[in-house]
């Protein structure tokens, strides 16, 4: 449904996107991830035909976005992070206007408007002016407009922006449902949202693709199992605990032993994350050797559990792990003003 072939884009002296390639098949929900300035917005704008690539090509449902731009645009629906709406128009009138822009016959527009108003929970505001709606309702109007003409490809940029918790759950379920009928490219800063809705992730950093894999395969290949352990500090303080734990885990190919920054522990106690590199999704369970080592050193174990690596931690490690990256920051100068705000 979507083919991106080696696209590149430069703004002045800055290479915003470099040789990015990926495909989306019908029925896939794919997450597009990357830190601020990674090239996500520029990539989306090239796919939508808003910005032409300097090199490479983009095809939507077989239509080139440059040589067959109109057909390509008809085959996609795009929800930007801040949906461009006409505040003076009523919800149903705005959707009717969007349908006319796509050349939909009157009867087809009416049926489509009823369908998307129902699917996006807009029945209560059908006759209200868009400018009077809350941010969450406006976001849903934008989603309804993107879906209206039944495109094969949906591009959703932060689709749950401004929604309340109930609406977020409903929208995530809708995205999964839409994935059975469309190809969906989802850009989001909310990593749990990507985990809950996407089959596959594409990670961009500094304008290049760092990963393009199904979520389970990504975690199996790049992730590591972790053991969370909280122990009493020895007389030497927390660093003494680190040496004890590292010594116990060293024979098992430990990846790292680091303080748990999310919950550092109270005075006299320290919490640690002990990570073991995995092979094909498996890794040695270090809970028993860690518990024995702590007991032998006279440390009291207050918590000991195994934890699967999260997409958030995996994502953070991937975007700073390539040669030439500055590990002090994952943000580089913006490719354009919109990219800098991402």
């Amino acid at each position: 449904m979507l083919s991106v072939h080696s696209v590149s884009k430069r703004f002045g002296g800055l290479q915003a996107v470099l040789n990015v390639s990926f495909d989306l098949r019908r029925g896939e929900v794919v997450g597009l991830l990357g830190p601020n300035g990674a090239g996500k917005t520029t990539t989306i704008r090239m796919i939508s035909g808003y910005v032409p690539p300097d090199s490479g090509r983009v095809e939507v449902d077989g239509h080139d976005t440059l040589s067959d731009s109109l057909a390509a645009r008809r085959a996609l629906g795009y929800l930007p992070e801040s949906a461009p709406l006409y505040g003076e128009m009523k919800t149903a009138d705005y959707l009717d206007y969007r349908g006319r822009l796509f050349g939909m016959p009157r009867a087809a527009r009416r049926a489509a408007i009823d369908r998307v108003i129902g699917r996006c929970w807009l029945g209560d505001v059908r006759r209200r002016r868009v400018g009077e709606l809350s941010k969450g309702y406006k976001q849903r109007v934008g989603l309804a407009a993107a879906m209206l003409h039944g495109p094969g490809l949906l591009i959703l940029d932060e689709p749950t922006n401004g929604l309340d918790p109930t609406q977020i759950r409903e929208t995530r379920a809708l995205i999964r449902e839409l994935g059975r009928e469309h190809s969906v490219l989802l850009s989001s800063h909310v990593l749990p949202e990507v985990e809950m809705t996407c089959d596959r992730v594409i990670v961009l950093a500094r304008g290049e693709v760092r990963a393009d894999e199904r979520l389970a395969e990504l975690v199996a290949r790049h992730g590591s199992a972790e053991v969370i352990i909280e122990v009493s500090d020895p007389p030497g303080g927390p660093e003494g605990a680190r040496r004890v734990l590292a010594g116990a885990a060293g024979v098992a190919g430990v990846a790292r032993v680091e303080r748990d920054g999310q919950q550092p522990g109270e005075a006299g106690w320290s919490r640690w994350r002990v990570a073991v590199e995995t092979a094909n999704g498996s890794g040695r369970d270090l809970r028993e050797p860690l518990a024995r080592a702590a007991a032998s050193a006279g440390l009291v174990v207050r918590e000991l559990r195994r934890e699967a690596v999260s997409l958030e931690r995996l994502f953070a490690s991937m975007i700073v792990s390539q040669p030439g990256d500055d590990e002090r920051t994952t943000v580089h100068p913006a490719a354009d003003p919109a990219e800098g705000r991402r």
Side-chain angles (χ1 to χ4, degrees), residues 10 212 271:
R10 177 181 290 273
D212 180 359
R271 289 170 53 89

Side-chain angles (χ1 to χ4, degrees), residues 152-224:
L153 170 66
L154 282 171
I155 302 174
L156 308 179
D157 194 355
E158 304 289 348
T160 60
N161 183 33
L163 304 184
D164 64 36
T166 299
Q167 294 164 351
I168 288 173
R169 288 194 298 270
E170 292 171 341
T171 301
R172 288 173 179 170
L174 175 59
I175 291 170
R176 293 298 307 173
E177 182 183 334
L178 292 172
R180 294 195 289 268
E181 310 164 14
H182 311 263
S183 298
V184 180
L185 183 64
L186 169 69
S187 176
S188 177
H189 284 103
V190 184
L191 297 183
E193 181 166 279
V194 173
E195 289 184 286
M196 293 176 189
T197 58
C198 296
D199 308 303
R200 192 174 118 223
V201 293
I202 299 167
V203 179
L204 293 181
R206 298 185 181 273
E208 299 180 275
V209 175
R210 291 282 170 86
D212 180 359
E213 298 180 69
R214 297 186 68 83
L215 270 170
E217 295 168 356
L218 183 70
V219 171
R221 286 211 316 118
H222 300 284
S224 58

Side-chain angles (χ1 to χ4, degrees), residues 3 11 41 56 142 173 209 247 257 263 301:
S3 295
F11 294 95
T41 297
V209 175
V257 178
Q263 299 182 33
V301 178

Side-chain angles (χ1 to χ4, degrees), residues 82-162:
S82 298
L85 306 173
Y86 293 104
E88 70 277 9
M89 299 180 75
K90 295 179 181 179
T91 298
D93 293 338
Y94 172 72
L95 294 174
D96 183 72
Y97 167 70
R98 286 289 298 260
R100 284 187 281 122
L101 287 179
F102 280 97
M104 299 175 67
R106 184 176 182 181
R109 289 200 310 272
R110 288 182 174 178
I113 290 168
D114 289 340
R115 173 176 54 83
V116 298
I117 280 179
R119 296 187 81 177
C120 295
W121 315 284
L122 292 169
D124 293 342
V125 299
R126 183 184 186 116
R127 295 300 173 190
R128 287 184 58 186
R129 295 187 186 279
V130 173
E132 300 172 354
L133 303 181
S134 67
K135 184 177 181 180
Y137 268 118
K138 288 178 180 176
Q139 191 74 356
R140 285 190 272 170
V141 172
L143 178 58
M147 297 165 46
L148 182 68
H149 59 292
L153 170 66
L154 282 171
I155 302 174
L156 308 179
D157 194 355
E158 304 289 348
T160 60
N161 183 33

Side-chain angles (χ1 to χ4, degrees), residues 9 16 40 48 55 61 92 130 151 205 218 233 241 276 302 305 326:
K9 186 67 181 179
K40 301 188 304 298
S48 65
S55 60
D61 198 19
V130 173
L218 183 70
D233 291 335
V276 180
R302 191 157 69 173
R305 60 186 171 85
D326 182 351

